[in-house]
Structures are given as structure tokens and as C-alpha cells.
Amino acid sequence: MTAGQAALIFYHLTNIGSVSALTDLFNNDAEIFKKENSEIDEPTLQSQLKTYVITYKDVPGGDPASNYTVPTRAINTHTRITYKTNDGTDLPEKVFQDINATITGNTASKVITGISGNTYQDDNHTLIPEISGYTASANSVTFENGGDSTKEQAVTITYTKNSSPATSAPNASQSFRVYGKQKLYRYQHVDFKKSERIRKYATKPSAYAPVFTVVNTTQSKAGNPRYELSDGSYITAKSAYVGKLFLEDETAKTLYVTNPKGIWTHTATDFSDQLNHLKQGSKVAVTKLVKDGDTTRYQLANGTYVTGNQRYVTTDKPQWVTRVKAEGGRNLYSDVDLTHRLKHYRKGHIFTVKGWDYSYGHNQLISGTKRYKISGGYITGNPKLVKIIK
């Protein structure tokens, strides 16, 4: 990335300062960005990081300093992006000032630089910002100078006003919620194109699966099933990728609690109170299914109710692990992401397991890894590192 691109990312991550001030900071103080007309050579950098061992030397003050130099390559393309709306409506000035674009009447423009052939995928909307009520014509820019680096490439991003006909308006009686079963993308239009992806959702365990509100079931021109969501975007409707959020099995006799935080029992289906807490791994007998729209509750023998939400319960008996043995030296951590180490245990140590959870639970871009909860913290759930003892 260039200094300007780096500044833009940091600006949106921190929401402090200004883009221009951060650009000056990178240009003046960061060695990597002092090279004119160059950007980080990401493929080479990634390749080197896999094999390169950083060594340190003593410097005044005792701080370590690396002798590693980040690789760069020459920029050969300048692209001018023009932003406009399809109906001539003025662009929101503050939105485009935040990305350092120049506003002229009802259009805006910005020049970016890069390497010919590369694609800038703007999933975080730092280059192609979101406008309420409108959908951008693309969320990526591919640099292409046609072999002539002296020419300025022109790209137009058009924001189309979202239509809201009565026939497709969200209907509370017809809408329902689904959860993601594996990696999928949300798209701007029903005919999925890579350039029109809005966001990626990684494969997550059910407890942290992404949830979508569906207002219409439709299909693409090719006949592929699609769900239209409440915000006007689309996801696949294939059962391998998504499923109903709430259980609808009227024959179910047993539910198992799978959510790391457990669930509560309630006196009524509106869940206005909390009676008894059921821990992860609990098994409950159910006698009746109660539906309210797409929401379901299950009644227990004592007349109380529990949720039918598949992020919390399942009808399938999960594997319950009570003890694991360390295959090698293992560390105990205070957090599920295993970043704060508390203690080290030798190979062969037996751990008593109280439950399980997953790293990066609420980060929809990362799948996450299984962890075992034990007394005092968490350990890895990798079967190659800990062996289940039956």
C-alpha cells in the first residue's frame, strides 16, 4: 500500500485525526512509505514472512531493532475514481471528505495508485463508502493501464437508489431468520458477481454463526435459489450453506444445550423472566413445540420454556469431553483466543474439561478454533495436541 492508502485504513480503524495528517505522518516518519511511487510488495512480503527469521541487535536504550527490510515495488498505474448517483442526488459531503475525495457538485473524485493487474477489494468500504439508501455499482477496483503508465485510468462508481416496491417490502408475517452453516458471501444483486460482494462470512460454529433476516425467496437468472435480506442484499438459499435459525421439529423429545453461556428456562414464551440456568452440555426433555412467527420455544414437563434457537440448542447429542491428556507441553490461558498465558503444563498432564468454546467467536471473518474450558482458563482443543480420555 501507499502512504495514503495506509493512512486511510488507519483512519477508519481508529476514527481519530484526519486522513491528510496521517498521510503526512506515514510519508515523513515511516521509512517504508518514503519511497516515491512505490507500495508494499505483498506477495513477496507474505512469502518472506513464512521463512524469514527476524534477528535483533542491541541499540542505545536497550530496545531491539530488526534488520529486516519490507519489500516494495514500483507503482505503474494511476486511477481516477468518479463517484456519482444514478438519480443526480448530491453525495453526502462528510462521507467523501472522510476518504479524502474531492466534491464537485453532485459528484466526487479521487486518484489512487497501484500495480497494473492488481485488484483492490474494498470489503471495509474505505475506498467505496456506503451511502444509506443506495447500492454502489462495485466494491473493488482493478488497476489496468493498458501497457501505458502515462495514461490515467478512469473508473466510475455509480450509486443506484434502492427500490422498495410494495411487493418486495419486508413483511413481518413472512420474514424469517436463517444462520450460516459454512463460508458464504452477501451480494448486492441476485445474480452473484465477485465484484459485487458486500461481505464475507467465515464458517463458524453454531453458537457464533451469522444470522440473516430473509424477506423474500427468489432465484437468479440461472435458476439458483436466493434469499433477499431485509437490507436489500442477497445470499444463497442452498441448504448446505444456510438453515432456519429456529428448530421446527415437533417430534423432538430431547434438547442439548450447546452455547458456551448456557440458556435459561422461562415461565412464559415471551421470556420476560429467567428461572433456572442450564449449563452447556445440559440435556432437557421437551414435550411441546410452540411457534410465534419464525421463533420457536420448547415446553418442558414442568410447564416452563426454553429457546429453540439453534445457536443455543440442538436435537443432536454433542460429544461431551470430560478429560483430555496433553500430547506435549501445553499452556493454560486466561482467554479463549489464547493470547494471555497463565501457566505451562508438562506432557502427559490430565485436564478436567468443564466445557468448550471457540476463538474469535464474534469475528465473522475468522472461522475460529475449538478450545476447552478448564479450571482457571482455556487450553487448545486441537486433537493433535490433546487426546480425549474416555
Side-chain angles (χ1 to χ4, degrees):
M1 63 185 73
T2 64
Q5 291 166 342
L8 192 60
I9 290 173
F10 272 78
Y11 176 77
H12 282 273
L13 286 175
T14 60
N15 199 29
I16 58 175
S18 66
V19 175
S20 59
L22 284 169
T23 301
D24 291 341
L25 175 66
F26 280 112
N27 275 323
N28 296 332
D29 296 335
E31 289 292 334
I32 184 62
F33 297 119
K34 288 183 180 179
K35 299 180 180 179
E36 292 292 333
N37 299 317
S38 65
E39 68 172 18
I40 293 176
D41 184 352
E42 185 177 355
T44 301
L45 175 62
Q46 294 293 346
S47 176
Q48 290 183 359
L49 288 177
K50 292 178 180 179
T51 58
Y52 188 82
V53 177
I54 296 179
T55 57
Y56 295 98
K57 60 182 179 179
D58 292 331
V59 295
D63 294 328
S66 171
N67 61 1
Y68 178 70
T69 300
V70 177
T72 61
R73 54 181 174 173
I75 287 171
N76 62 13
T77 300
H78 290 73
T79 298
R80 178 176 294 276
I81 303 177
T82 299
Y83 308 87
K84 66 178 185 178
T85 58
N86 69 324
D87 57 3
T89 301
D90 288 347
L91 297 171
E93 188 172 345
K94 177 66 167 59
V95 170
F96 287 89
Q97 284 179 342
D98 284 348
I99 68 165
N100 247 19
T102 301
I103 305 281
T104 305
N106 58 1
T107 65
S109 64
K110 177 181 177 65
V111 176
I112 61 174
T113 57
I115 306 296
S116 183
N118 281 4
T119 296
Y120 181 93
Q121 188 69 34
D122 191 36
D123 293 330
N124 294 318
H125 306 291
T126 57
L127 179 64
I128 306 170
E130 293 180 303
I131 300 179
S132 178
Y134 289 80
T135 299
S137 58
N139 69 337
S140 65
V141 174
T142 299
F143 295 100
E144 181 55 62
N145 60 16
D148 187 351
S149 59
T150 63
K151 292 183 177 180
E152 186 177 79
Q153 176 187 357
V155 171
T156 299
I157 301 296
T158 302
Y159 291 87
T160 302
K161 189 174 181 61
N162 297 334
S163 59
S164 55
T167 55
S168 62
N171 187 321
S173 64
Q174 297 178 354
S175 66
F176 58 92
R177 284 160 289 180
V178 297
Y179 73 99
K181 294 181 177 180
Q182 59 174 296
K183 185 179 77 172
L184 56 84
Y185 292 89
R186 186 159 55 91
Y187 292 82
Q188 295 175 2
H189 301 106
V190 69
D191 294 306
F192 293 174
K193 295 181 181 179
K194 190 174 182 180
S195 62
E196 296 175 350
R197 287 175 176 170
I198 296 175
R199 186 178 178 184
K200 169 189 171 183
Y201 298 88
T203 303
K204 304 289 289 187
S206 60
Y208 300 105
V211 176
F212 309 94
T213 299
V214 178
V215 296
N216 188 33
T217 300
T218 183
Q219 63 181 21
S220 66
K221 291 180 181 178
N224 294 312
R226 307 292 196 226
Y227 282 141
E228 181 182 357
L229 305 183
S230 56
D231 65 352
S233 61
Y234 297 85
I235 60 171
T236 180
K238 291 182 178 179
S239 59
Y241 290 86
V242 294
K244 290 287 188 70
L245 178 62
F246 286 87
L247 291 166
E248 297 180 344
D249 186 357
E250 296 184 3
T251 66
K253 299 300 180 182
T254 306
L255 292 183
Y256 300 91
V257 180
T258 55
N259 194 282
K261 294 183 179 179
I263 63 172
W264 289 88
T265 62
H266 307 267
T267 56
T269 57
D270 62 1
F271 286 9
S272 59
D273 61 0
Q274 294 179 336
L275 295 178
N276 299 314
H277 184 256
L278 302 176
K279 295 181 179 180
Q280 182 187 51
S282 297
K283 173 183 175 181
V284 292
V286 296
T287 60
K288 182 182 178 181
L289 172 69
V290 180
K291 295 188 67 176
D292 181 11
D294 81 317
T295 301
T296 61
R297 316 296 196 196
Y298 281 91
Q299 189 175 41
L300 309 186
N302 63 2
T304 61
Y305 297 88
V306 295
T307 182
N309 190 324
Q310 296 199 73
R311 297 182 78 185
Y312 294 87
V313 297
T314 181
T315 55
D316 299 322
K317 184 178 181 180
Q319 181 187 32
W320 181 252
V321 177
T322 57
R323 295 191 304 161
V324 294
K325 178 182 178 181
E327 293 291 88
R330 296 273 70 82
N331 294 320
L332 171 68
Y333 297 84
S334 63
D335 61 305
V336 72
D337 292 331
L338 307 190
T339 56
H340 302 290
R341 191 175 76 169
L342 298 175
K343 189 176 181 180
H344 181 76
Y345 292 88
R346 294 181 179 179
K347 176 181 179 181
H349 184 84
I350 305 297
F351 297 95
T352 299
V353 178
K354 296 185 174 183
W356 68 93
D357 204 343
Y358 296 86
S359 62
Y360 305 105
H362 297 290
N363 187 331
Q364 297 296 338
L365 298 176
I366 303 176
S367 293
T369 305
K370 191 173 188 178
R371 314 297 196 198
Y372 287 129
K373 185 176 182 180
I374 68 170
S375 179
Y378 297 86
I379 61 170
T380 179
N382 189 330
K384 295 181 180 180
L385 302 178
V386 291
K387 181 180 180 180
I388 297 174
I389 301 176
K390 297 182 180 180

